Amino acid sequence: MKKSIVLVGFMGSGKSTVGRRTAKLLNCPFIDSDNLIEERCGSINTIFETQGEKQFRIIESDIIKEVLIQKKMVVFSIGGGGFCSSRNVKICLDNAVIFYLNCTFENCYDRIRRNENRPLAKKGKKWLMKLYNSRLPYYNNAAFTIDSDKSVNETAKEIILFYNRIKKS
Ligand code: S3P
């Protein structure tokens, strides 16, 4: 069986757009953890407001595990905090090839600052920059780091190039 591809990275790094394109090029299903959470549990904003971030992380972690232990190859993009616990890092590394979409803080911030659907994006630039820096050690557990400050197509093609190399080795 081919291993799934997991895309990780900060909010606004392009995981969903690049993931969708990568899946299309590979002709395999695309799954977005946030979409799956919203389908099952309602909006992420509401989950944060009514149940708190801790409960959101539990739901997120369960979904990551569920998607990755099923035996189908998928391209899976997970929320910016989904790769930031040792438990989730292990599940991902054991079951998939992980690509970190590396995007500068300024570019991520530009893309998320006006977005109403991300509860953490409302916390202000300074706070977000600290969060960004605190997550880098987790993201660096990925097998590959891909610079995502280029076109969606180029980024997706680079992911596929690296993925095909490991399949052969
Ligand atoms: C979060 C990122 C979001 C979403 C939630 C929390 C985070 O996903 O899971 O708002 O902690 O970084 P995206 O990275 O897709 O925006």
Side-chain angles (χ1 to χ4, degrees):
M1 191 209 43
K2 290 179 198 162
K3 274 195 165 185
S4 287
I5 290 176
V6 168
L7 302 187
V8 303
F10 201 67
M11 291 173 268
S13 58
K15 300 177 296 282
S16 305
T17 330
V18 169
R20 199 166 288 114
R21 182 67 55 87
T22 308
K24 197 166 183 205
L25 292 172
L26 286 171
N27 200 19
C28 74
F30 169 68
I31 302 177
D32 180 285
S33 67
D34 290 337
N35 287 350
L36 205 49
I37 291 171
E38 294 203 319
E39 269 171 32
R40 290 187 186 175
C41 309
S43 90
I44 291 177
N45 270 329
T46 309
I47 300 172
F48 267 71
E49 272 164 33
T50 59
Q51 304 179 55
E53 180 173 350
K54 207 169 160 198
Q55 184 56 26
F56 173 79
R57 296 299 168 200
I58 293 171
I59 299 170
E60 179 177 59
S61 192
D62 287 348
I63 280 194
I64 290 171
K65 191 170 173 194
E66 179 189 317
V67 170
L68 290 180
I69 61 173
Q70 52 84 32
K71 297 287 173 217
K72 211 161 70 185
M73 193 247 164
V74 296
V75 176
F76 186 30
S77 100
I78 62 179
F83 197 61
C84 301
S85 75
S86 41
R87 179 172 179 254
N88 291 1
V89 168
K90 185 170 172 13
I91 293 167
C92 291
L93 291 179
D94 285 351
N95 294 286
V97 185
I98 320 300
F99 290 86
Y100 163 42
L101 290 197
N102 180 32
C103 182
T104 63
F105 174 73
E106 289 299 332
N107 282 350
C108 290
Y109 183 67
D110 254 11
R111 292 180 192 154
I112 64 172
R113 66 200 172 115
R114 280 185 225 97
N115 190 302
E116 293 293 317
N117 301 324
R118 292 179 169 105
L120 298 180
K122 297 168 190 154
K123 296 220 179 210
K125 190 171 182 182
K126 230 172 156 182
W127 189 92
L128 283 165
M129 194 189 282
K130 260 194 182 163
L131 184 68
Y132 177 97
N133 287 323
S134 73
R135 286 178 169 178
L136 295 179
Y138 288 103
Y139 297 149
N140 284 328
N141 285 300
F144 298 99
T145 296
I146 306 287
D147 186 356
S148 76
D149 296 336
K150 50 182 175 292
S151 82
V152 173
N153 224 25
E154 277 177 301
T155 313
K157 281 185 176 163
E158 195 174 328
I159 290 172
I160 293 170
L161 191 78
F162 284 117
Y163 180 72
N164 284 337
R165 273 192 204 153
I166 1 173
K167 271 203 305 169
K168 282 183 199 131
S169 60

